[in-house]
Structures are given as structure tokens and as C-alpha cells.
Amino acid sequence: MNYLFTSESVSEGHPDKVADQISDAILDQFLAYDPQSKVACETLVTTGQVVIAGEVKSKTYIDLMATARRVINRIGYNRSELMFDGSSCGVFSALHEQSGDINRGVERATPEEQGAGDQGMMFGYACDETPSMMPLTLYLAHFIMYELAQIRRESRLMSYLRPDSKSQVTVEYDSETHRPVRIHTIVVSTQHDEFIRPNGNSHEAQLEADRQMLQRIEDDVKGILLPRVKAQLSPEIQSLFDDQLIVLVNPTGKFVIGGPAGDTGLTGRKIIVDTYGGRGAHGGGAFSGKDPSKVDRSAAYAARHIAKNAVAAGIASQMLVQVAYAIGKAEPVSFYVNTYGTSHVPMSDAEIAHRLQQVFDMRPAAIEQRLGLRKPIYEETAAYGHMGRDPRRVTKRFHNDYEGDLAIEVELFTWEKLDYVDRLRQEFDIVNSSSF
């Protein structure tokens, strides 16, 4: 009997993602002017209000209010009827200096021996279901959200769209091969203007106007959004769409009040959206607002880098990598691999883990150096997933009233690079294997 698995994604306008993006934009500002900054920044957003709190150790000073407003306006909360406007919302800061007790466990006289910023376990996962080596459910959920945002920004079709939205994708899998069989259900909930007014003041007139709005949105999701998404997918994934597909649009019937006005947002509350959509595992630590001395972030990126390169090299069709740390210690306390019985090499998962440890130095300083994590690369990670993205070089520009303007060339999503495939094939004696 086949089984169903589901993942969700949310847009950049979802209140939790607004908070994530503000936290990571603040982190980028600190790293741009002082790459050795230590930052743990949390953000809360609600109707007309932003609260920024956390701990920082840095040589620079940044304008938190200006950074938060820029992010909010970029997302699309830029008019009063949304009840959350980047130009007029209140911004309250409660950032303070990092604890010396934490800092003494991180910084060392020898940089290579930098200690982990906290204890904990982190996971990385990869599979061969999609070109990005992400689970198909999350791959599609992110794709739907990103394309909906593109349509909103174009302002030609679906011009009623507002920034807040969510998607959910259910895929049917073969219970023996664990391969996708078909796309079962897609759910799209999107915030919208009240673009059809009732013909009269009665309750019935309002219900009829709401029904007409819902019908228009449903028709547009099915006739505009999903065809645009499907056209960009590989033929193999396109073939998983059939006439039995269930599409649910705005199941509550109306979604005018949304964003921080409809639901308070907090940094780090969408950690499953940020990672693998519920596949593999999660150690529980959030990413956004944390500099790379926090292994919650850097080691999770490193574990994904290992898992993705290992799957691409042909070591296994699926791989979960776990690494764990003690605060203040450089070497991880454990390193674990699970291939879920999909290994293509004649060795146990424990042996695979041992070989991978010989290739990848998992000390925090080594991770920072290998992946270039002391650069201001984080605002781009804070919406549409930290994993499965396309690595690329960009020039980012920063303004600081106290230290002037900067233009910095950075490489985004370095943990998604397939730069260790050849080395892993050599290490594991893999001669013929397909490459993504």
C-alpha cells in the first residue's frame, strides 16, 4: 500500500519569516563592517510593532531601525491598509552585549581551536528525488511560494495579492521503493485585497462578495500559478501531476487580514520550513539571527554540504548526517550517518561516517573557513529555505551612517556546492556514478 507525506512552506511575508529576515539583515550589517562580530538577534513582529532583542559583541554600530524598515518595505508591507507598514511601524531595540561566560568558550588564542558556541546536535539531509537533492514535497512547496511572490511583484496578474501566504504539498510514495508516485494534494493560502465589494450592506451580500473573491483566487491559482510552476519543473516531476490532483485554495474562504497584523511573528519559528520539511531529522536549533560561531547554524550547513555531496557522489540515494558539540569544545562529540538502507558502497553506515570524518574537518573554525560563513550572506537565506538553493556570487551593498558605504562580493549558499563530489568518489572508490 502506498503512503502519503506532506511538507509546507511559507512566503517572505509570513510573520515568522518577516522576523527571520529582519534578524538576518541585522546580522549581515554587523558582519559587513566587522566580520568577527558575534550576534544572536531575535525579532518579534506584531500589529504596527517590531521588537529586536538579543546579544552582540562587535566593533561596529549599526542603525537597527533603518535595517528593520528596509526589510519590511522590501517584503511588501509598505501601505497602511496592511496594518503593518515599514515606514511607520514602531521599532524597539533591546540588544545588549554578549555574555562574557559564553564568549570565553568560543574565542581562543589559536583561531583553529575556536570552541562551539553552544552544545547541541545538528542534522543535514539529502536525497535524489529532485535536482537540488531535496525532498520533493518541500521542493514543490518552496517553488509554489517563490513563484507566487514573483507574480505579486510583477503586479500584472493576480494584482490583488498581499505578502502573506502558505503552501502545503502532499506526495504519494511507493511503500516498497519509497519513490514518488504522484502529487496528491496542493494547498495554497494567500493573503489578498478585498477586491470585490458587497452589493449592499447585508450579511448575505458580504458572503456573496467573499464567494466571488475566493472563486477568482482559486481560478487564478489553478490557471496561472500552478501552470507557471509546472512549466519550470523537470519532465520527471511534471509527469507526477495527474487529473486526480486535489488543489485546495484559501480553505477558510477569506484571507484579507494577514502578516504581523493577523499573527505575531517570531524569529526561528519555522525551522522545518527552513530545512527539510520534516524529512530526515532536526536538532531543534533555529538559524536566523545567529553568526556562524553558533553551531546551530554553521554545523547544520556543514552537515547538509556533506550529505548533498555524498548523495551526488553515489555513496547513497539518501543520507542523514548528525553532528553534536559541547559548548567551548572545537571537536564534535559525535558524528553519525544514516543511509536508510540506500547505500551503494560495500560498507556499513558507521564506516561511511568514519571515512567522511577523514575528509571534512568539523571544527567550527574550519567550517566557517570552508564555507565562507564570516561574510554577510544571511538575509537571502531567511525565506524559501536555507537548503536546496542555488549557490551564486553577488555584490551586496551596505550603508552605515557611521562608517560609510560598502560593496562586498559574496558567495551565497556555499553549502549547496557540489565541490567535494570527485574527492568523495576517490575516497569511496566509486568509478561510475551519475552526477546531478
Side-chain angles (χ1 to χ4, degrees):
M1 183 177 179
N2 292 347
Y3 63 90
L4 303 176
F5 189 83
T6 301
S7 297
E8 72 160 349
S9 181
V10 298
S11 71
E12 64 204 67
H14 185 282
D16 293 331
K17 280 288 137 199
V18 174
D20 284 345
Q21 289 167 90
I22 293 172
S23 291
D24 271 339
I26 289 169
L27 170 62
D28 277 356
Q29 284 286 135
F30 276 110
L31 292 177
Y33 290 91
D34 177 10
Q36 297 308 312
S37 295
K38 304 296 188 294
V39 181
C41 177
E42 313 291 342
T43 303
L44 177 149
V45 294
T46 187
T47 306
Q49 293 290 326
V50 177
V51 178
I52 300 167
E55 302 80 46
V56 173
K57 180 177 184 289
S58 181
K59 297 176 182 178
T60 192
Y61 178 84
I62 71 166
D63 189 333
L64 299 173
M65 183 179 297
T67 302
R69 294 192 190 286
R70 176 187 62 78
V71 171
I72 294 164
N73 282 316
R74 172 184 59 74
I75 292 168
Y77 289 110
N78 51 15
R79 46 198 172 107
S80 59
E81 57 263 40
L82 299 178
M83 294 182 285
F84 189 72
D85 181 355
S87 298
S88 62
C89 65
V91 180
F92 174 80
S93 172
L95 279 180
H96 58 84
E97 190 169 352
Q98 182 188 51
S99 162
D101 291 347
I102 293 175
N103 184 258
R104 68 187 291 185
V106 175
E107 296 186 351
R108 294 284 189 269
T110 304
E112 293 77 12
E113 294 306 314
Q114 169 186 315
D118 202 352
Q119 72 174 45
M121 64 282 191
M122 301 84 210
F123 290 91
Y125 176 80
C127 62
D128 62 2
E129 289 181 13
T130 62
S132 63
M133 278 163 266
M134 292 288 286
L136 179 60
T137 49
L138 187 62
Y139 178 83
L140 290 175
H142 281 327
F143 213 134
I144 289 167
M145 287 291 89
Y146 184 80
E147 194 61 32
L148 188 65
Q150 293 299 103
I151 293 171
R152 174 172 62 87
R153 293 183 188 283
E154 290 167 6
S155 298
R156 294 187 298 106
L157 306 169
M158 303 177 73
S159 58
Y160 50 78
L161 291 173
R162 290 183 173 183
D164 192 2
S165 54
K166 302 177 77 171
S167 65
Q168 186 171 282
V169 175
T170 301
V171 171
E172 181 180 330
Y173 286 84
D174 185 288
S175 59
E176 294 184 1
T177 65
H178 303 288
R179 306 300 298 179
V181 174
R182 56 182 291 269
I183 314 300
H184 185 278
T185 302
I186 293 175
V187 182
V188 177
S189 295
T190 182
Q191 187 187 15
H192 57 89
D193 292 336
E194 192 146 9
F195 58 92
I196 295 178
R197 297 292 179 177
N199 185 17
N201 297 321
S202 68
H203 178 65
E204 291 74 17
Q206 182 63 62
L207 290 177
E208 177 58 23
D210 293 348
R211 186 196 66 76
Q212 291 178 27
M213 282 193 293
L214 177 59
Q215 187 62 59
R216 167 76 182 280
I217 298 168
E218 184 175 335
D219 290 345
D220 287 350
V221 166
K222 293 178 179 178
I224 298 172
L225 172 62
L226 294 184
R228 281 179 53 151
V229 168
K230 187 175 177 181
Q232 299 177 65
L233 301 173
S234 68
E236 292 78 11
I237 296 177
Q238 287 187 23
S239 69
L240 299 177
F241 287 79
D242 61 24
D243 56 9
Q244 298 180 63
L245 173 66
I246 300 169
V247 179
L248 303 176
V249 179
N250 282 15
T252 63
K254 190 175 183 179
F255 189 1
V256 172
I257 301 172
D263 186 13
T264 296
L266 294 169
T267 299
R269 206 160 56 173
K270 284 291 175 285
I271 58 177
I272 299 303
V273 172
D274 287 342
T275 52
Y276 309 103
R279 288 279 289 275
H282 198 293
F287 299 158
S288 290
K290 297 178 181 177
D291 78 89
S293 70
K294 281 71 173 174
V295 284
D296 274 342
R297 182 168 219 160
S298 55
Y301 290 166
R304 162 64 178 175
H305 185 231
I306 294 169
K308 184 176 182 180
N309 276 268
V311 170
I315 296 171
S317 296
Q318 281 189 81
M319 183 175 289
L320 180 73
V321 174
Q322 186 209 53
V323 62
Y325 293 88
I327 188 169
K329 300 297 183 181
E331 293 288 347
V333 299
S334 69
F335 186 90
Y336 164 85
V337 165
N338 186 351
T339 64
Y340 304 94
T342 69
S343 172
H344 304 307
V345 294
M347 57 184 69
S348 68
D349 286 356
E351 291 173 305
I352 292 173
H354 178 72
R355 291 264 189 114
L356 290 174
Q357 273 193 288
Q358 307 311 304
V359 176
F360 295 95
D361 187 341
M362 293 299 286
R363 293 177 297 172
I367 293 172
E368 286 185 9
Q369 184 175 9
R370 183 165 69 246
L371 299 179
L373 300 183
R374 281 272 152 210
K375 304 281 188 175
I377 58 174
Y378 297 104
E379 185 175 347
E380 289 80 3
T381 69
Y384 310 113
H386 293 243
M387 316 301 179
R389 308 288 290 278
D390 292 329
R392 63 188 187 276
R393 289 188 177 276
V394 300
T395 298
K396 297 182 66 172
R397 302 185 184 279
F398 298 89
H399 173 73
N400 187 315
D401 286 338
Y402 309 94
E403 299 184 59
D405 294 339
L406 289 178
I408 304 175
E409 183 178 339
V410 300
E411 190 170 14
L412 304 176
F413 303 105
T414 53
W415 49 93
E416 294 296 320
K417 294 170 66 175
L418 295 176
D419 51 352
Y420 275 72
V421 170
D422 290 341
R423 184 171 175 185
L424 290 179
R425 286 178 179 164
Q426 183 178 12
E427 181 74 24
F428 285 84
D429 298 319
I430 298 171
V431 178
N432 296 312
S433 176
S434 61
S435 177
F436 289 86

